[in-house]
Amino acid sequence: MSLKLNTLLLSRRDIEGIINMCEIIKVVEGAFREKGLGRVQCPSKVYLYYEKYGGDLRVMPAFLESINVSAIKVVNVHPNNKKYNLPSIMATIILIDPETGFPLSIMDGTLITCMRTGAATGVATKYMSRKNSKVLGLIGAGAQAFYQLIATLEVLKIEEVYVYDIDEKAKVNFVNMMSVQYPNIKFIAVESEREAVDGMDVIITITPTREPHVKVEWIKAGTHINAIGADAPGKQELDPEILKKARIIVDDMDQAIHSGEVNVPITKGILSKKDICGELADVVIGKVKGRVSDDEITIFDSTGVAITDAVTADLVYKRAKELNIGMNINLIFK
Ligand SMILES: NC(=O)c1ccc[n+]([C@@H]2O[C@H](COP(=O)([O-])OP(=O)(O)OC[C@H]3O[C@@H](n4cnc5c(N)ncnc54)[C@H](O)[C@@H]3O)[C@@H](O)[C@H]2O)c1
């Protein structure tokens, strides 16, 4: 055992630019593989509800036994934070040495949340979308949107992206920025959810809405949907009729039933657990198919799992050590 006395503090600025989406997708896919092989401890998130403020707080621990990585994330979701000029989601991650319990690092988890959520979408899209998918619809142009986009671009040759957000400014800014960053892709700001859904090969929904805004009649055969926004009880973005006719894969069965896209239809008895084909982990290890035919509608229901935070935090920590980034502090000893 090498005795470590210092805890590495890493801010968002430290983390920015030291890891890229391609490598995060690899470690996140690896984390789902470990889950599929039964080699992780990843209990469901624990929630606190700040009802009078319209927000919540989640605690997310994980241990990946075979790669000896363990971490815990504390993360909030406050959709009304714009008025305080704060992100809706802010997170802190503590990376733990499983051998001793020592806190190896305390780091910003806000950027890591965006990146690992994007990466999970990338993994799901790789296994579940049609390989010739070219047109992407994106509903929600907030903090997560960019990472959802870049992860999708890692796994598909997207040519056109249709973007809708109820906030006109957020939508137009996103489209303008992406048009500069990716000049070979056509970005179109659209005026309705329907225009971001109708005729798309892949759809990503990433809003905090509780009113389903994607209608079944807009979805063409063969579309893959990444339903990312619903991650707490009562949230839903898709017309339940879509779920009834689709092949549904979740990131975690218990979390999805509690708080994913399926939570409201299951609570109302419109859908049941047996309508869910399996977990992304099962797809990655080849136990369950992500897609069976070119004309089926597939849905990845993402709630966000702690193993994906842990492996991304581990990647960040190792890279920061290599690059001598961050601040070492003696947190514990006299
Ligand atoms: N599954 C996961 O792992 C995961 C991870 C992170 C965030 N989330 C969820 O994703 C959602 C978005 O997170 P964020 O950090 O991007 O939030 P954000 O507040 O930065 O952005 C949300 C965007 O959605 C838009 N929006 C709200 N309601 C809408 C509607 N009805 N139609 C179209 N646009 C609408 C807002 O104007 C805003 O631009 C939240 O619900 C969050 O809890 C899920």
Side-chain angles (χ1 to χ4, degrees):
M1 183 185 113
S2 64
L3 195 59
K4 299 176 186 85
L5 301 179
N6 283 323
T7 300
L8 186 63
L9 273 187
L10 291 167
S11 68
R12 179 174 182 141
R13 275 195 198 162
D14 294 328
I15 297 172
E16 227 143 24
I18 67 171
I19 55 171
N20 63 48
M21 185 51 81
C22 179
E23 54 190 349
I24 306 166
I25 289 177
K26 271 195 198 122
V27 295
V28 164
E29 182 169 351
F32 281 112
R33 185 171 301 111
E34 290 300 309
K35 187 178 197 301
L37 296 172
R39 298 196 293 222
V40 306
Q41 292 178 46
C42 188
S44 291
K45 298 178 209 181
V46 174
Y47 286 74
L48 295 179
Y49 301 100
Y50 304 129
E51 269 163 30
K52 67 175 177 175
Y53 303 114
D56 67 45
L57 188 81
R58 301 120 190 239
V59 181
M60 303 172 64
F63 177 34
L64 294 97
E65 291 163 15
S66 67
I67 56 170
N68 217 32
V69 170
S70 185
I72 184 160
K73 179 168 87 168
V74 177
V75 58
N76 76 301
V77 178
H78 283 67
N80 303 321
N81 265 359
K82 241 181 215 169
K83 64 177 181 237
Y84 302 113
N85 215 9
L86 281 174
S88 307
I89 296 176
M90 293 167 284
T92 306
I93 297 176
I94 307 174
L95 189 69
I96 304 285
D97 180 350
E99 193 175 350
T100 60
F102 186 80
L104 297 172
S105 178
I106 301 174
M107 63 180 80
D108 168 56
T110 310
L111 181 59
I112 289 175
T113 297
C114 295
M115 295 190 296
R116 67 69 147 142
T117 306
T121 292
V123 174
T125 304
K126 174 176 139 184
Y127 285 96
M128 298 177 70
S129 66
R130 284 176 292 106
K131 301 296 158 239
N132 58 350
S133 297
K134 291 188 167 49
V135 190
L136 170 68
L138 181 62
I139 301 187
Q144 310 299 321
F146 171 69
Y147 303 92
Q148 293 291 314
L149 173 73
I150 60 170
T152 308
L153 298 184
E154 284 292 333
V155 297
L156 289 174
K157 287 204 171 3
I158 295 294
E159 295 174 357
E160 289 179 7
V161 184
Y162 291 77
V163 183
Y164 177 72
D165 193 296
I166 41 168
D167 179 342
E168 183 71 19
K169 203 170 138 199
K171 177 181 75 179
V172 171
N173 283 349
F174 182 80
V175 164
N176 289 345
M177 278 162 56
M178 292 307 107
S179 303
V180 172
Q181 196 152 337
Y182 297 99
N184 297 329
I185 301 174
K186 196 171 159 196
F187 288 88
I188 305 111
V190 295
E191 297 306 314
S192 66
E193 287 96 337
R194 183 180 188 141
E195 291 167 88
V197 169
D198 214 341
M200 301 295 138
D201 297 319
V202 176
I203 295 163
I204 299 171
T205 58
I206 180 84
T207 76
T209 192
R210 286 166 184 266
E211 297 299 325
H213 49 188
V214 178
K215 303 268 183 294
V216 67
E217 57 271 22
W218 304 339
I219 311 280
K220 74 171 183 184
T223 301
H224 171 63
I225 306 171
N226 293 300
I228 315 296
D231 61 353
K235 282 176 153 183
Q236 60 176 155
E237 299 182 283
L238 309 179
D239 179 347
E241 291 303 315
I242 306 171
L243 297 161
K244 275 166 70 181
K245 59 193 275 196
R247 177 174 190 78
I248 306 170
I249 299 290
V250 298
D251 59 359
D252 181 273
M253 193 60 83
D254 293 340
Q255 283 194 178
I257 290 169
H258 174 260
S259 47
E261 185 62 41
V262 295
N263 89 84
V264 178
I266 286 182
T267 306
K268 288 185 175 165
I270 301 170
L271 211 69
S272 78
K273 187 177 172 182
K274 67 175 174 27
D275 297 314
I276 300 169
C277 295
E279 295 187 339
L280 186 56
D282 301 324
V283 175
V284 169
I285 64 164
K287 198 169 132 195
V288 170
K289 279 194 171 9
R291 166 174 292 275
V292 173
S293 73
D294 266 1
D295 58 3
E296 73 183 337
I297 295 167
T298 53
I299 297 177
F300 171 53
D301 180 354
S302 164
T303 55
V305 277
I307 48 169
T308 64
D309 294 303
V311 291
T312 310
D314 178 60
L315 185 64
V316 164
Y317 173 70
K318 287 178 179 148
R319 188 65 46 79
K321 296 277 274 185
E322 272 165 35
L323 299 172
N324 208 14
I325 283 172
M327 187 200 290
N328 279 304
I329 57 159
N330 179 349
L331 191 68
I332 287 180
F333 302 101
K334 282 195 212 166

